[in-house]
Amino acid sequence: MKHFLIVVDMQKDFVDGALGTPEAQAIVPAVAEKIRSFSGEIFATLDTHGEDYLSTKEGQALPVPHCIKGTPGWELNSQVAAALEEKGYSPVEKPTFGSLVLPELLRKSAGEEAFSVELIGLCTDICVVSNALLLKANFPQQDILVDSTCCAGVTPQSHDAALTTMKMCQIQVK
């Protein structure tokens, strides 16, 4: 059985930049340790926007420029980046909350083999839940897991609400 780890949007702007939170900063050591101890293939998503972000639907709803490709805020948090570099990973840029490319990458890598997927990262209530639900919809017979100790939401309350939503959709939450 193959095992995949999806590290969701552990970028500077979400940790301690434009949209950073104390909760996001607090999970960094656990995320780095999870990466280092993981046995399997790792993918890291990167929220990726252009200079025109504020004119997009998302930018109109959340008028805080963030994760603009090529800026320091778009880069991975340094501790997470170091752990990913040690283990090896595949980056996956995504222009919105959930990646439509990620299921195809997993399908290609797994071939006919059964697999499990574990998700960690930011933000539980936006990009983690979006990717978890997309993966569950694409792979209803595979184990999809979210490690809540390696996730943080926009607020602690929205983090908990997203975990509840994922549990209701038969995603394992630990």
Side-chain angles (χ1 to χ4, degrees), residues 139-158:
F139 308 112
Q141 300 306 313
Q142 306 301 332
D143 291 329
I144 311 291
L145 171 92
V146 171
D147 184 342
S148 64
T149 67
C150 291
C151 292
V154 173
T155 68
Q157 296 78 17
S158 60

Side-chain angles (χ1 to χ4, degrees), residues 32-98:
E33 179 54 34
K34 171 74 77 171
I35 292 165
R36 286 188 176 99
S37 65
F38 187 77
S39 294
E41 191 170 348
I42 302 173
F43 293 87
T45 67
L46 297 162
D47 195 48
T48 303
H49 301 294
E51 293 294 335
D52 66 340
Y53 173 75
L54 291 175
S55 67
T56 68
K57 281 285 203 192
E58 181 181 330
Q60 292 167 13
L62 177 65
V64 179
H66 65 280
C67 298
I68 307 300
K69 188 170 182 171
T71 66
W74 179 74
E75 297 172 8
L76 290 165
N77 166 273
S78 61
Q79 292 178 53
V80 172
L84 287 167
E85 289 299 327
E86 287 173 27
K87 292 294 285 196
Y89 74 104
S90 298
V92 180
E93 293 182 17
K94 58 182 190 57
T96 189
F97 309 132

Side-chain angles (χ1 to χ4, degrees), residues 121-144:
L122 301 169
C123 295
T124 317
D125 44 346
I126 302 172
C127 294
V128 173
V129 68
S130 295
N131 282 287
L133 291 171
L134 278 168
L135 291 169
K136 188 65 176 177
N138 275 272
F139 308 112
Q141 300 306 313
Q142 306 301 332
D143 291 329
I144 311 291

Side-chain angles (χ1 to χ4, degrees), residues 11-21 25 53 62-68 71-74:
Q11 294 158 274
K12 291 178 183 179
D13 271 347
F14 290 127
V15 176
D16 57 10
L19 296 172
T21 64
Q25 293 168 36
Y53 173 75
L62 177 65
V64 179
H66 65 280
C67 298
I68 307 300
T71 66
W74 179 74

